[in-house]
Structures are given as structure tokens and as C-alpha cells.
């Protein structure tokens, strides 16, 4: 992926020097069992942090996210990459919304280490990257990229771009009102039905990541051989069935919250091949 020299987003907050306490990757490598358990419980690309973050932070009201933050250093290569990918998502979704007669309010992306306050509660590194609809921010501890490569079997620069694009996909769902509709069903349906809705929400975010990938490639021609394959592999490695198998050796489809490996690959690929938001209607699909 030839990303150097492209525009960087200004919607990045660097809290890595602000502390925050809590637990997380903290610069050390977690055992694969701990990583998988954390990712199975939370989901690699978090779902409904309004409830999960509150539970993990000990309950109570959502916390204020007023902590010192600034732009990342210009010479921080990894932060520059994330900022560049975020800028591309801004360009793509602004154009898609404009063509549809709307406006795209870009999210902010917060870089942190260990733990950080969010409008959804305390965010922690062990959860993996996540999006908080309460403040319209994506939260990322970039140590997760090393976890992806070394412990989850998902290396590659574009695999990392897929992570960011997926979380931005959740922001798109929030802007379009999809997430609110799903959250409105919680408590009125069974846990199994809630899980099924969560799967459709996550697969749609995968599809949106694919839509971004196609549009960004059309605009920049920055993808190289193997880039899409690395994103597809990442989608496969974080499927619910794969994570459950690594964690316990038992696959329980009724407990899926993000979709199987095959489903995640299918919907990312569908978004990439079509480049169409309309092709990402996971809620109207009879089969996933």
C-alpha cells in the first residue's frame, strides 16, 4: 500500500502521553488465550460499547472524555499511517454522502495506551479497537496492530487499514441511524436475537470497509499486490468461529456476535467488488 505522501487527517487526538491507568496491552504481549478470550468477549471490532464499556469500567454513568490531547508527532510513522487512512475514509464517505444528497460528519480518532475515558465508559486496550457512538470517536491502541500480526495471524499494512475502515463503518451506521435502530431492540428481544442483530451490524461494517477500499483505490491507485488478500485474511482470522475454536475448541453459532470467518470475508469482498452502499444491506439479506 503506497500511502506515504497522501493527505493526513486533522481529526486525530493523541492521548498516548496522557496516562489513563487501567489494564491493557501496555507494550507487552498478551498470551494468545488471553487475547482470544478478550476478543471473543468484546469482539475484535467492538459492538455496542454503550453497555460493554460500562460493565468493564465497573458501571455508573458514562465518563467524560476531557483529557489532554493533541496531534501526533509528524515523525511518528505508524500514527501518520492511521491519519492517512482516516483522511481517505473522510474523502470517500464525504463524496458518497454528497452524491446521496447528504453531508458526512467525520468522526475523530483517538490514539491511546492502556486505558482512556470515553463517552461510553472506560476504554481499554484489551478490547481491541472500538467506536463509541456517544462521542462519535474511534479509539485505537496501536499495539493492537502487533497483536494482529504476531498472535492473530493477520499481518499486513492493508489489514491495519481494514481495522480503521471497519470502525469508521460503525460511525457511518450511527450517522445513518442504523445503530440506533439495533440498540432500540435490545431488552425487547432474546439474547440469541440480539446476537443475530449484532452479527448483521458487524457484517455491514465489514461491507462498508470494502466499499471504502474500492473507492480509495479508484481515487489513489495505492493498493499493491497482496493488499486485499491481507484484509481478507484479517477478516477470516477474527471470525467468531475461528476465535471460539482458538479459545475453547468449541464453536457455538448461537453465540456469534460478529459473524463467521466466511461471512466476514464475504461481506468485505462484496463491498469491495461492488463499491456500493446499497450492496451492504445485511439486514435485508435472507442469508449471510
Amino acid at each position: 500500500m503506497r500511502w506515504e505522501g497522501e493527505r493526513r487527517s486533522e481529526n486525530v487526538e493523541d492521548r498516548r502521553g496522557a496516562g489513563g491507568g487501567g489494564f491493557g496491552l501496555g507494550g507487552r504481549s498478551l498470551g494468545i488465550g488471553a487475547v482470544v478470550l478478550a476478543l471473543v468477549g468484546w469482539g475484535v471490532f467492538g459492538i455496542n460499547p454503550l453497555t460493554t464499556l460500562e460493565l468493564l469500567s465497573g458501571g455508573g454513568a458514562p465518563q467524560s472524555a476531557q483529557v489532554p490531547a493533541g496531534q501526533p508527532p509528524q515523525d511518528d510513522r505508524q500514527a501518520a499511517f492511521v491519519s492517512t487512512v482516516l483522511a481517505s475514509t473522510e474523502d470517500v464517505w464525504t463524496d458518497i454522502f454528497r452524491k446521496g444528497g447528504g453531508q458526512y460528519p467525520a468522526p475523530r480518532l483517538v490514539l491511546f495506551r492502556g486505558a482512556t475515558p470515553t463517552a461510553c465508559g472506560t476504554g481499554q486496550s484489551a478490547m481491541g479497537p472500538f467506536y463509541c457512538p456517544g462521542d462519535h470517536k474511534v479509539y485505537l491502541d496501536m499495539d493492537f496492530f502487533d497483536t494482529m500480526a504476531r498472535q492473530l495471524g493477520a499481518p499486513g499494512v492493508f489489514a491495519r487499514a481494514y481495522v480503521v475502515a471497519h470502525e469508521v463503518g460503525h460511525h457511518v451506521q450511527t450517522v445513518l441511524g442504523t445503530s440506533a435502530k439495533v440498540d432500540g431492540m435490545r431488552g425487547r428481544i432474546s439474547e440469541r436475537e440480539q446476537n443475530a442483530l449484532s452479527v448483521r451490524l458487524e457484517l455491514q461494517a465489514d461491507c462498508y470497509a470494502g466499499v471504502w477500499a474500492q473507492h480509495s483505490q479508484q481515487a489513489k491507485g495505492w493498493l499493491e499486490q497482496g493488499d486485499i488478500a491481507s484484509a481478507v485474511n484479517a477478516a477470516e482470522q477474527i471470525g467468531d468461529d475461528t476465535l471460539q475454536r482458538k479459545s475453547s475448541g468449541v464453536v457455538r453459532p448461537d453465540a456469534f456476535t460478529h459473524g463467521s470467518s466466511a461471512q466476514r470475508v464475504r461481506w468485505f469482498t462484496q463491498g469491495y467488488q461492488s463499491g456500493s452502499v446499497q450492496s451492504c444491506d445485511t439486514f435485508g439479506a435472507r442469508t449471510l
Side-chain angles (χ1 to χ4, degrees), residues 11-22:
N11 291 316
V12 178
E13 299 177 19
D14 191 353
R15 298 184 188 174
R16 290 174 294 174

Side-chain angles (χ1 to χ4, degrees), residues 11 24 40 69 72 75 90 112 126 131 158 180-181 232 234 256 268 273:
N11 291 316
V40 169
D75 60 353
E90 293 166 355
F112 73 100
Y131 171 73
F158 200 68
K181 291 179 181 178
V232 168
F256 286 2
F268 171 80
Q273 291 179 344

Side-chain angles (χ1 to χ4, degrees), residues 190-261:
S190 68
E191 181 179 354
R192 182 172 182 174
E193 291 171 318
Q194 290 181 39
N195 289 346
L197 284 177
S198 294
V199 166
R200 291 180 184 270
L201 198 68
E202 291 296 327
L203 294 179
Q204 186 176 68
D206 280 332
C207 189
Y208 285 167
V211 169
W212 162 77
Q214 196 218 78
H215 284 262
S216 72
Q217 173 65 358
Q218 288 179 345
K220 301 178 183 298
W222 60 355
L223 299 186
E224 300 175 286
Q225 185 175 1
D227 281 341
I228 292 298
S230 72
V232 168
N233 175 64
E236 184 174 10
Q237 295 302 321
I238 48 79
D240 282 327
D241 52 342
T242 299
L243 291 175
Q244 287 181 354
R245 193 175 294 111
K246 289 180 179 178
S247 174
S248 65
V250 177
V251 175
R252 294 180 53 219
D254 61 329
F256 286 2
T257 57
H258 288 66
S260 69
S261 293

